Amino acid sequence: MTSGLSRAELTAQYLDEVKRRGISAGELTSTHPESVGLRSLYGGRFLSRPLFLGTEETEQLARDMLTMRAALVSLPDKLYGGDFAAFGRAVGLNEAQVSAVLRSRGTTVTMQSRGDLYLDETGFKLLEFNMGSALGGIDQSDMATALLDQPVLLEFARKHRLSFVDTMREQVNDMLVECGFAPGSRPKMATVDWPSSYETLEPYMQHFAGRLTEMGIDTVFGHIGQLEVRDGGVWLGDVRLDIIQRLFMLEDLADPESLALAEPILDAAARGEVKIFTPLDAEMFASKRALAMLSDEANRKYFDTETLASLDRILPWTRAVRSGPVTLEDGSQVELIDYVLSHRDELVIKPTQLHGGDGVLLGWRTDTSAELGENAFGRPSTVRGSSSAGSVRCSSTSRCPTAIPSPGW
């Protein structure tokens, strides 16, 4: 039996119990791992409790997120007649990036994805939807495990039959299934980043490689410049690789010189000499402009009633920044650029491809006005209402483990 309590009820009861026992936030995070890798990425900024979700809300949110993913993956066929190159250009890719995507496509689109959500008065809303192997937060299950070392949470979770998804284990399963390896086969894998960011991420990558090795995939780590294509395979040092876990992103392949660094690896994968987890096509579907396509009223005719109801629940009003008329949430039509400039204190502009908050413009900030014209209108971007920006969410520097009802206790 699962708990019938809601998110608000579970949270209130847990906080009451913590207060009754007189436990501080510092004590609640004292069991988090002292790993150099985790500390290097998160800086010790761990939250003191998980997010609690009730059964009904969990099931509805899961259905909505799966519907969202399916709708995103269907866009090239629905809007562009199956022309992936045209879809790629429409979501903001340049020709070097389109070439990289077409050369690395898988037979199916990965299931590896993460929705970033925030709460408003109607429930969860989507901030952005990320797909592919370069996702942060996969290790949140390690943090949830550490939180359960605190008796107050362990007892509370058992009482209400709460559990969490082991995201590390799920990723290992995705790697094996999507790359065609059986459980227990222990393929050789390299977690591979781009040279410019490798120095910063190296301590975390070492930690992460160790965790993956513990879970059944023998993992080494490095950057793409250290890989060699020789003897019918791809090598990192003296290790012939079965899988490359790709941490570098499409934004790293924005020019022909950068693409040239990746081309030997993409060609080796095309010849079947190595598997890439995940192919680069995943990032097309994670583009903010892909979300704008789903939000656009002109495209509603392509989706059935059930899909539209799901999208309406979780996807806020989002549009690609461009000249021309758009329809607002109230049904009125406006010229988009004029609307953005005159309502900038209500809006957020986000670059199509960048990540980690880079390039985001918060319209109400006094230092944003000049950037609106200089930057946002000169590069692929999206605009949406500002309710999403003021909400608390888990970020790359502060992870929220999630506790959901489960019969597993």
Side-chain angles (χ1 to χ4, degrees):
M1 243 181 116
T2 60
S3 170
L5 296 179
S6 69
R7 166 173 36 87
E9 291 167 329
L10 286 165
T11 303
Q13 288 192 23
Y14 179 68
L15 293 178
D16 285 345
E17 184 61 21
V18 169
K19 182 178 179 180
R20 187 185 69 81
R21 299 193 189 192
I23 304 172
S24 69
E27 290 176 272
L28 292 172
T29 59
S30 64
T31 53
H32 272 303
E34 292 296 330
S35 159
V36 173
L38 284 178
R39 293 282 169 176
S40 70
L41 189 63
Y42 301 116
R45 297 180 60 194
F46 301 114
L47 299 180
S48 58
R49 69 167 178 87
L51 168 68
F52 297 107
L53 295 177
T55 302
E56 183 177 346
E57 186 173 45
T58 299
E59 293 174 352
Q60 181 65 69
L61 187 57
R63 288 193 296 269
D64 287 342
M65 296 303 291
L66 288 171
T67 299
M68 168 72 67
R69 181 198 170 278
L72 285 168
V73 170
S74 75
L75 287 173
D77 288 335
K78 283 183 164 64
L79 302 187
Y80 298 94
D83 187 338
F84 263 68
F87 175 66
R89 296 183 188 102
V91 298
L93 305 190
N94 63 28
E95 291 307 310
Q97 292 167 324
V98 169
S99 174
V101 166
L102 294 179
R103 294 165 68 174
S104 69
R105 283 185 62 196
T107 55
T108 59
V109 180
T110 182
M111 290 297 295
Q112 180 92 351
S113 53
R114 186 199 73 214
D116 291 352
L117 303 163
Y118 65 94
L119 275 168
D120 68 10
E121 63 278 0
T122 65
F124 281 102
K125 294 290 185 287
L126 192 73
L127 191 67
E128 59 186 49
F129 192 82
N130 298 284
M131 293 179 66
S133 47
L135 299 180
I138 296 296
D139 48 17
Q140 67 174 347
S141 53
D142 288 352
M143 301 174 202
T145 299
L147 283 174
L148 285 170
D149 285 339
Q150 287 290 342
V152 62
L153 180 57
L154 180 62
E155 294 165 16
F156 186 83
R158 284 176 171 164
K159 176 181 178 181
H160 295 286
R161 296 178 178 267
L162 300 175
S163 186
F164 60 89
V165 174
D166 189 337
T167 44
M168 286 291 294
R169 184 66 63 185
E170 289 298 320
Q171 177 173 250
V172 167
N173 181 67
D174 286 345
M175 289 171 169
L176 294 174
V177 170
E178 294 181 14
C179 295
F181 292 92
S185 58
R186 299 201 71 90
K188 305 290 186 183
M189 184 175 77
T191 296
V192 176
D193 197 21
W194 200 249
S196 58
S197 52
Y198 175 71
E199 184 175 345
T200 300
L201 281 180
E202 183 180 4
Y204 178 75
M205 292 172 68
Q206 182 177 12
H207 159 80
F208 201 70
R211 290 288 289 118
L212 291 172
T213 299
E214 291 171 7
M215 302 179 81
I217 298 180
D218 293 328
T219 307
V220 292
F221 59 95
H223 63 72
I224 194 169
Q226 296 172 326
L227 299 180
E228 294 181 85
V229 179
R230 56 181 170 86
D231 302 328
V234 179
W235 300 71
L236 180 59
D238 60 357
V239 179
R240 181 170 179 167
L241 303 174
D242 300 307
I243 305 171
I244 294 171
Q245 182 193 14
R246 177 184 60 82
L247 296 191
F248 59 91
M249 294 179 283
L250 269 176
E251 65 190 69
D252 295 314
L253 307 178
D255 57 73
E257 292 76 17
S258 298
L259 178 59
L261 184 59
E263 280 179 326
I265 308 306
L266 299 179
D267 290 343
R271 294 191 298 267
E273 296 171 5
V274 71
K275 299 287 187 180
I276 296 180
F277 181 84
T278 58
L280 286 160
D281 59 351
E283 292 191 37
M284 292 198 307
F285 301 109
S287 166
K288 282 81 170 175
R289 277 202 174 180
L291 290 179
M293 292 175 186
L294 289 185
S295 177
D296 194 329
E297 70 281 351
N299 296 330
R300 292 179 69 85
K301 62 187 177 184
Y302 296 107
F303 299 99
D304 60 33
T305 302
E306 185 177 347
T307 298
L308 290 174
S310 182
L311 295 177
D312 289 344
R313 268 191 298 272
I314 63 172
L315 181 61
W317 182 88
T318 306
R319 294 294 183 271
V321 174
R322 55 173 175 76
S323 299
V326 297
T327 302
L328 301 179
E329 289 180 287
D330 62 6
S332 62
Q333 280 209 332
V334 296
E335 206 292 323
L336 181 61
I337 301 300
D338 292 342
Y339 179 77
V340 169
L341 291 173
S342 61
H343 293 77
R344 60 176 177 261
D345 59 336
E346 304 170 9
L347 300 170
V348 178
I349 293 180
K350 303 181 74 173
T352 297
Q353 287 190 60
L354 299 184
H355 72 285
D358 289 346
V360 174
L361 298 178
L362 307 178
W364 55 89
R365 288 177 58 98
T366 57
D367 57 353
T368 293
S369 300
E371 291 184 271
L372 279 174
E374 295 173 7
N375 295 329
F377 301 152
R379 66 186 176 198
S381 301
T382 58
V383 60
R384 62 166 49 179
S386 62
S387 62
S388 63
S391 305
V392 176
R393 64 178 284 262
C394 301
S395 70
S396 60
T397 56
S398 183
R399 288 283 163 209
C400 307
T402 303
I404 60 176
S406 166
W409 290 99

